[in-house]
Each structure stands twice: as C-alpha cells, then as structure tokens.
Amino acid sequence: MVINHIFKEVPIGLCHFDLELRYTYINDWLAQLNGISPENHIGCTIREVLPDVAKHVEQLFQQVIDSGEPHLNGEVTAETPAQPGILRTFRHSYIPVKSENGSVTGLSCVVEEITDLRKAQNDLIQAKEKADESNRAKSRFLSTVSHELRTPMNAILGFAQILGINSSEPLSENQKSYIDHILKSGNHMMELIDDVLELNKIEEGKLSIHFDQIAVDKIIDDSVQLIRVLAQEKGVEILNKIASDDPPMLWTDGTRLTQVLLNLLSNAVKYNRHGGTVTISFEEISERMLRINVADTGIGIPEDKQQYLFEPFERLGRESGEIEGTGMGLAVTQRLIKLLNGNVGYQSNENKGSTFWIDVPINCERNTSAMSGSPS
Ligand code: ADP
C-alpha cells in the first residue's frame, strides 16, 4: 500500500504502541535512530528497548492514554543504544489512537532527532552572549578612557589659553603660533572624545529621545542659521529650498534631528569647493515619511570608499588632508536617525558632489487640531 511505503521511506520516526506500551509498529527510520532492528522492537516495551528514553516518556505515554488528548512537540534528551554514552535530543509527538466508540486503543508517535539543531542554537546563544559581553567591556573601556582623557585635556586647553592672553608676560609671535597649534589639536581631541562618548551612549541605549511635533521648516531654518558662519568662511552658498506653503509636522526629537542635520550640512560645506553650493530641500515620499535632501557641489566620495561611509573613525582618505574631522559624524548620524525611526542614504559622484538624505516620520495628526499626544 502507498501509505506503508510512505511510512517506510519518510525521513522521520514513526511507531505505534498498544495499551501496555509495547511496540506494535516501528518504521525503519526510527529503528535506525534507536540502533535496534525493527523486529527487535515489536512486542517489547519502551523500557526494554530504550531504558534511558523511557525514564522521560513513560509517564507522558500513560497521560496521553488516560486523557485521550495528544501531546505535541515535546522534547527529550537521552541516551540510545545506537550511540551509548551520548546524549541526543528528540522532538516527539504522541497521538492517542481511538476505536469507533472513542476508547483509546493505543498510541502513535512521531519522532525527529534535533540534536544538531539544538547544538547549533546553543552555540549561537553562547557566541552571542560572548559577543555581547565583549561589546559591553569595550563600551565600558571607551567610556572610562574618554572620561579620564577629558580632565587632563581641559587642563591643557585651559593653561594654553591663559598663556595666550596673559598680558603681563606677552608671548612672541612664534610662541603664539605654537599655542594656536596646542589649542587646535586639543580642541580636535576634545571633539573626538565627545564623539566617542556620544556613539558609546547610543550603542549602550543610554541616549534619551523625546518625541514631539516639530515643524520641518523651522528645524531646517535653525540648522541652516547655525551653519552659515562656516559656509561663509568656506565661500559656500546655502540654498534653502522649502517649496511648500503647508510644510508637514514631523514626529521626532528636535534636538537630535538638528544634530543630524548639522552633521550633514557641515559635511556638505566642509567637503565643498570655494564658490560651491549646498541645497537643502524636502519632499513627502509617503503619507508617513518626509525626505530631507542635503545636496552639495563638492568633491564627492570615491565609489570604492563609499561602503565605509557610516563606519566610526573612517575618513575615507581625507585623514591627511586639510579638512578637519573625526570620522564619527556619519556613524552618529546613522545611529541617531534609526532611533528616530527614520533612515539615511546618499548618492555621490566623485568630483561632482553628493546628496545625503534622511527620512523622518511625519506626525500623522498634522491636519487635526490636536497639538499634543502621540501620532496615530
Ligand atoms: P568627518 O567629516 O568628521 O571626517 P563623517 O563621519 O561626517 O566624518 O564623514 C566620514 C567621511 O565621509 C569624511 O571624512 C569624508 O571623507 C566623507 N564625507 C562625508 N560627507 C561628505 C560629503 N558631503 N562630500 C564628500 N565626502 C563626504
């Protein structure tokens, strides 16, 4: 019969017991798992064939027979005659077999070995725990070192400033330029320390985010104002293209979004050319998302370096150039925008310019009179 053929060939263990828990049927697959021929099962109890397995399942068998209810997808770890001394894990289901009048006449079992699956899962859990612990250790280390560095750096910067402005002991022009170097490098180092601390805070989930209704035009205007001085110094024009009479309200954290915009705007200015432009605009890409574009006419990013753009400390070949940076801005930006339930992306052509965009959730209640509460 076809069904017998399927039972014989299917790669899963099947067997049947009578009410005394003696095998009346077993397929080849299960007999092989047990390490005993099918014939040597028939008529024997599970305790006689698989004493270690029996310790775990006999009670369950009885329960299924007494209740008439199946027991599905249980798990048992035990030794078998096929591999003495080795613990193996099986997933098993027991189904009561009933006569026409509803009384239980026996028990059918479906058995599957999942030793390798469980081992792989346990290995994965252990590897993850190990990785999490070393990540926590790295975060603690970075946080401690950064805090410890701030105190002496503050002293170095403070005394360098005092030397520079001390009129009773004026410095020579040479000495003044040395002090400028100390201040410039010291400030750069402080920026680096602050960025490391910020990134660490984000990765440890310690950054607090306060969502609220924020007007997109206002936040763009404020960010552009903050970047104007840098743009003037670099001879870069900022074009603020807010092309809507009814700009949507965002559902975001204003401080963090400003931080993200400032990162993108300052990069667009820093990596630009004298006489270049930075254009900021936005568009609604769906009912729920607004895209803010920051496009520059700058030096662009070489294609082979773009994959490292959001990695901390990566400056993509600009580390030896004149443009200052820590390589942390985009790493922080990417993590922040994720916390704001948005996205960041880019498109760049070397020597032509780059466009960075961020998607920010729109406050879906913008057209109602409600001015507080969470979005629908
Ligand atoms: P930083 O500017 O402090 O180096 P970021 O993380 O903000 O760090 O940027 C990483 C790198 O990506 C920069 O060093 C630069 O090489 C490149 N980059 C970022 N934005 C732009 C841009 N608008 N145009 C060209 N290169 C950019």
Side-chain angles (χ1 to χ4, degrees), residues 36 62 80 97 104 204 249 253 298:
I36 292 175
Q62 204 54 55
T80 57
V97 177
V104 176
E204 284 191 319
M249 300 296 279
D253 179 318

Side-chain angles (χ1 to χ4, degrees), residues 279-297:
T279 308
I280 186 160
S281 60
F282 66 77
E283 55 189 314
E284 285 181 53
I285 55 166
S286 74
E287 271 180 22
R288 292 177 172 266
M289 277 290 178
L290 181 110
R291 177 165 292 180
I292 303 176
N293 297 296
V294 177
D296 66 60
T297 54

Side-chain angles (χ1 to χ4, degrees), residues 60-76:
L60 274 174
F61 278 16
Q62 204 54 55
Q63 209 175 297
V64 171
I65 288 172
D66 293 345
S67 67
E69 296 294 328
H71 172 90
L72 302 177
N73 294 321
E75 236 179 83
V76 59

Side-chain angles (χ1 to χ4, degrees), residues 267 270-271 296 301 309 314-316 318 325-327 329-330:
N267 278 350
K270 275 193 322 186
Y271 300 104
D296 66 60
I301 303 156
L309 208 46
E314 287 289 348
R315 297 216 59 219
L316 316 183
R318 309 286 176 211
T326 60
L330 287 179

Side-chain angles (χ1 to χ4, degrees), residues 57 60 70-77 89-94 110-114 118:
V57 301
L60 274 174
H71 172 90
L72 302 177
N73 294 321
E75 236 179 83
V76 59
T77 299
T89 305
F90 301 93
R91 183 183 288 139
H92 53 174
S93 294
Y94 309 133
V110 182
V111 182
E112 188 186 359
E113 177 160 16
I114 54 168
R118 281 286 167 269

Side-chain angles (χ1 to χ4, degrees), residues 111-122:
V111 182
E112 188 186 359
E113 177 160 16
I114 54 168
T115 309
D116 290 346
L117 181 73
R118 281 286 167 269
K119 186 176 170 326
Q121 280 173 339
N122 288 339

